[in-house]
Amino acid sequence: MAAKEDLYAKVTPRRQRQTRPGTIKHGSTLDVLLSMGFPKTRALKALVSTGGKNVQAACDWLFSHVDDPFLDDPLPREYVLYLRPSGPLLQQLTHFWQQSRLACGKNKAHNIFPHITLCQFFMCADGKVDALCEALQTTVTKWKGRIPMPLPLELYTSSTFIGLFVEEQLAEVLKTFAADFATEAAAKADVHVEPHKKQLHVTLAYHFQANHLPILEKLAKNVDASSGCDWLAVLFSRDIRFANHETLQVMYPYVPQNDDELELVPGDFIFMSPVEQSSASEGWVYGTSLGTGLSGLLPENYVNRADESDTWVVHGSHSILNCASPLTSGSTVGGLLFDGHLNESLLDSLIDSPSLPGLCPPMQVSRSTSQSSSSKMRLFVCRHGERMDVVFGKHWITQCFDSKGRYVRSNLNMPSSLPARSGGHRDYDKDCPITVFGSTQARLVGEALLESHTTVDFVYCSPSLRCIQTAQNILQGLQLEGKLKIRVEPGLFEWTKWVSGTCLPTWIPPAELTAANLSVDTTYRPHIPVSKLAVSESYDTYMGRSFQATREILAECKNQGNTVLIVAHASSLEACTRQIQGLSPQNSKDFVQVVRKIPYLGFCACEEMGETGVWQLVDPPHSASYTWA
């Protein structure tokens, strides 16, 4: 076991791993993946497909793509260099995007975020991506201070197109910048980049209905093109196999009923090509999953149309105004990047409601300081660790349990033992445990809290086994295992609409959890008992339930301790913190967009503002945690 601990130790010390600003720099990350036994081609593909973020993201990708028939396909990804606006101009453009979509529906411009194209799409081998990122960094550094700001933009409209064009003289400067990048890319990465030769512009709308022109033109004239802006040179990539496919997003889970059907996980993306639909009957579509690489039939009403750029990966982002402070791969671009993937759908919710838990741009977060009163109540909300059924698929139970219900793990990332269940091992189908790596993740979060001298006075938990095991390991890292009991609160369970089938999971009762050496408080009386949970509850019911549970938990702990930890689900980071800040719930579509990007052990913190009963988001105390990009 000591050897396994040594292996995980290689994954965690992010603060010791220094990288060149603006590059993905796989380096030691690749070495760790190779030491874990992954072939180099697969390891590189995983790193590139996740933006070179970290070992955890690459491992997650590899585990989820274990059955991908194209996993060993040598076809490289396709890259492009864009200039992206930020600051007040981005807000202006985002407002235009919102208003035009509401007034006229979606047009072709909505498929990709506001940008200026600097080059055509080009190919780059996975092993050359580090060098390509270095080429961009070198080019940006060379051009520091040489591009006049702000960029002069002029509105142009026609019967089929509306855009903001860069003034010709300055456009030539940007084209020279792009040409220099092409030279560096050829020298460092041996790739051919074709700089954009047409007029440089930001597209506002195109391929719209003719009767929409007056409305769109009026909205475009309200955009103040002279608004303050820092332009970011951003390197994106996409899977070339799906460049001409329609992008769909999974809204509801689906368990296949036949061999030719595709399992659906909420938040995943599906690539659909019209030429592949001949095998699909009415109400069904044929597509390929971004999350697994598998293809199959799926019910059409389980997915919604998404934007093409939602599946793109960011490999480097650099300010051309302030080149000394580039954004590195895996950081946020305008607060909209998670796990290396761009989350364009979050734009709207950030503009309308900037106080999303754990997702706020730095200037919008109320930062806790050493001067903060020690008497203030704090609330931590944490997502569970890596789950077994996501890593090993829905058939892990049949692989690990024999005909007599005895468990034997078939992979070292599976726990060595599992709690006995009075209802039998089939109950694990809807109530899965966490992996060995998930347990390690959770323990490291606890250790980070301990290192930051953070105390936890109460722990509340969803009844899901994966959440209880995560809480137990966090307490172990905090050196509080056995000293602090976990209070199992059914009201903290996730939105029941996401539960497959017609009934809720059968959870392990507290007495049996205690018998399995889990530190559960068997005397705790839940605020919302299991009997109050309903299958397929509405979104409003779920948000109301989460708010009620959180509010009553905080009231229960008032004057008895300062810090409450809730360990639950990805959705809990939003559902348990939004309304205590005095904010109304956002619409369900935006809610899903936020939740799907929260990683395992995602963590947010809130602090009560005096005795007002109003809470505000603050920085989590364990900033060194590797679980956030």
Side-chain angles (χ1 to χ4, degrees):
M1 197 64 183
K4 194 169 186 66
E5 295 297 329
D6 291 343
L7 175 60
Y8 282 121
K10 296 179 183 179
V11 179
T12 58
R14 280 177 64 97
R15 52 187 168 179
Q16 298 173 5
R17 189 180 300 156
Q18 301 298 317
T19 61
R20 184 191 302 271
T23 67
I24 297 177
K25 212 59 187 171
H26 300 154
S28 60
T29 308
L30 176 60
D31 293 339
V32 172
L33 291 174
L34 296 178
S35 71
M36 295 171 74
F38 294 112
K40 185 174 182 180
T41 55
R42 291 189 177 187
L44 282 170
K45 179 171 283 193
L47 288 168
V48 170
S49 298
T50 56
K53 180 171 167 273
N54 55 29
V55 170
Q56 180 194 339
C59 283
D60 288 345
W61 190 92
L62 285 164
F63 286 137
S64 64
H65 283 76
V66 66
D67 296 321
D68 185 348
F70 295 97
L71 182 59
D72 296 311
D73 190 335
L75 185 67
R77 293 177 68 86
E78 198 172 37
Y79 294 77
V80 70
L81 180 63
Y82 285 162
L83 277 186
R84 292 210 57 196
S86 65
L89 179 58
L90 176 60
Q91 294 187 13
Q92 291 270 335
L93 295 172
T94 301
H95 184 69
F96 170 82
W97 242 249
Q98 292 175 308
Q99 297 302 311
S100 62
R101 208 163 187 168
L102 287 172
C104 305
K106 186 175 180 178
N107 64 66
K108 280 286 188 178
H110 289 118
N111 269 328
I112 304 177
F113 41 80
H115 68 279
I116 296 174
T117 302
L118 292 183
C119 69
Q120 306 301 316
F121 276 95
F122 61 92
M123 309 281 274
C124 179
D126 293 345
K128 299 282 189 177
V129 176
D130 277 343
L132 181 65
C133 294
E134 186 175 347
L136 177 58
Q137 169 68 43
T138 300
T139 306
V140 171
T141 302
K142 174 183 175 182
W143 277 81
K144 180 179 180 181
R146 292 172 57 187
I147 300 177
M149 288 291 165
L151 292 182
L153 301 173
E154 183 177 353
L155 179 65
Y156 169 82
T157 64
S158 71
S159 60
T160 59
F161 176 89
I162 301 177
L164 298 171
F165 280 76
V166 182
E167 186 270 329
E168 186 174 352
Q169 185 175 357
L170 195 48
E172 291 303 316
V173 175
L174 295 178
K175 288 179 181 179
T176 306
F177 170 84
D180 279 2
F181 167 68
T183 301
E184 289 288 342
K188 287 184 166 63
D190 192 26
V191 298
H192 175 68
V193 178
E194 186 69 32
H196 197 61
K197 292 183 171 61
K198 297 180 181 179
Q199 290 179 290
L200 301 187
H201 61 276
V202 178
T203 301
L204 298 182
Y206 76 104
H207 280 205
F208 48 82
Q209 297 178 26
N211 62 323
H212 289 160
L213 177 60
I215 301 173
L216 293 171
E217 189 172 17
K218 181 179 179 181
L219 291 172
K221 288 179 179 178
N222 291 330
V223 175
D224 182 5
S226 64
S227 298
C229 178
D230 180 13
W231 291 86
L232 307 172
V234 190
L235 187 65
F236 295 95
S237 77
R238 66 182 183 185
D239 191 326
I240 190 174
R241 294 175 299 153
F242 306 115
N244 296 314
H245 287 51
E246 184 173 358
T247 305
L248 308 172
Q249 186 183 6
V250 178
M251 303 304 293
Y252 310 111
Y254 178 75
V255 178
Q257 307 299 311
N258 299 288
D259 292 341
D260 60 351
E261 294 174 5
L262 187 64
E263 182 176 10
L264 300 182
V265 177
D268 191 11
F269 288 95
I270 304 295
F271 299 111
M272 183 191 75
S273 171
V275 301
E276 296 174 332
Q277 301 313 307
S278 58
S279 61
S281 56
E282 185 177 356
W284 291 75
V285 297
Y286 186 89
T288 302
S289 163
L290 171 69
T292 64
L294 300 177
S295 301
L297 294 167
L298 57 133
E300 189 174 14
N301 59 347
Y302 279 55
V303 294
N304 278 345
R305 281 178 168 77
D307 295 338
E308 174 188 340
S309 58
D310 282 348
T311 61
W312 291 6
V313 175
V314 175
H315 297 273
S317 179
H318 307 264
S319 163
I320 64 173
L321 176 64
N322 178 17
C323 300
S325 303
L327 295 168
T328 60
S329 167
S331 60
T332 59
V333 181
L336 304 176
L337 179 67
F338 299 84
D339 295 341
H341 283 86
L342 191 67
N343 182 13
E344 284 306 317
S345 303
L346 188 53
L347 268 169
D348 296 347
S349 56
L350 279 176
I351 296 301
D352 289 338
S353 181
S355 299
L356 297 176
L359 310 180
C360 302
M363 69 288 292
Q364 294 173 320
V365 176
S366 300
R367 301 187 177 275
S368 56
T369 66
S370 57
Q371 284 76 35
S372 297
S373 170
S374 60
S375 63
K376 285 185 178 180
M377 282 199 73
R378 291 185 298 177
L379 171 66
F380 299 150
V381 185
C382 182
R383 187 192 178 191
H384 58 76
E386 179 183 82
R387 50 190 290 176
M388 283 270 283
D389 55 355
V390 171
V391 173
F392 298 105
K394 61 180 181 178
H395 300 300
W396 74 271
I397 296 176
T398 58
Q399 295 170 357
C400 296
F401 287 91
D402 62 19
S403 58
K404 295 183 179 180
R406 292 174 298 197
Y407 169 77
V408 178
R409 66 176 176 180
S410 59
N411 186 286
L412 288 177
N413 195 28
M414 294 177 172
S416 57
S417 63
L418 291 177
R421 306 188 77 129
S422 55
H425 66 277
R426 284 293 172 187
D427 285 345
Y428 277 115
D429 185 42
K430 287 189 175 183
D431 187 30
C432 70
I434 58 176
T435 63
V436 172
F437 190 70
S439 297
T440 304
Q441 288 176 305
R443 189 170 66 253
L444 290 169
V445 168
E447 291 176 1
L449 289 169
L450 182 66
E451 288 177 7
S452 65
H453 306 291
T454 300
T455 59
V456 172
D457 301 301
F458 299 96
V459 180
Y460 289 80
C461 195
S462 160
S464 294
L465 177 61
R466 59 188 181 272
C467 300
I468 295 167
Q469 290 177 319
T470 299
Q472 176 91 359
N473 280 278
I474 291 176
L475 288 176
Q476 185 180 6
L478 275 165
Q479 299 181 9
L480 292 175
E481 187 179 22
K483 301 176 184 177
L484 196 58
K485 298 290 186 180
I486 301 168
R487 297 177 174 180
V488 179
E489 174 54 63
L492 296 174
F493 183 59
E494 66 184 345
W495 189 6
T496 62
K497 189 173 183 178
W498 289 337
V499 177
S500 61
T502 58
C503 60
L504 295 174
T506 301
W507 293 298
I508 303 177
E512 292 183 20
L513 291 169
T514 301
N517 297 318
L518 292 164
S519 302
V520 172
D521 186 351
T522 56
T523 65
Y524 174 69
R525 298 184 62 180
H527 295 284
I528 301 177
V530 174
S531 60
K532 297 294 184 182
L533 300 185
V535 180
S536 297
E537 66 188 341
S538 69
Y539 172 66
D540 290 340
T541 300
Y542 167 63
M543 293 300 290
R545 164 167 65 84
S546 299
F547 179 39
Q548 177 189 343
T550 306
R551 185 175 53 192
E552 293 183 10
I553 285 171
L554 294 173
E556 181 176 51
C557 299
K558 188 79 170 177
N559 300 322
Q560 297 186 47
N562 291 339
T563 305
V564 177
L565 170 63
I566 288 176
V567 181
H569 307 271
S571 56
S572 306
L573 274 74
E574 168 79 349
C576 293
T577 62
R578 186 173 182 85
Q579 288 168 277
I580 65 172
Q581 298 175 71
L583 302 172
S584 300
Q586 57 187 321
N587 64 62
S588 59
K589 181 180 179 181
D590 288 338
F591 170 79
V592 171
Q593 292 291 339
V594 173
V595 168
R596 70 181 177 83
K597 290 298 185 179
I598 295 174
Y600 293 128
L601 272 298
F603 195 102
C604 71
C606 281
E607 189 174 275
E608 188 179 21
M609 299 171 64
E611 297 295 325
T612 62
V614 178
W615 293 67
Q616 63 180 350
L617 288 168
V618 296
D619 283 345
H622 58 299
S623 58
S625 172
Y626 71 95
T627 56
W628 281 99

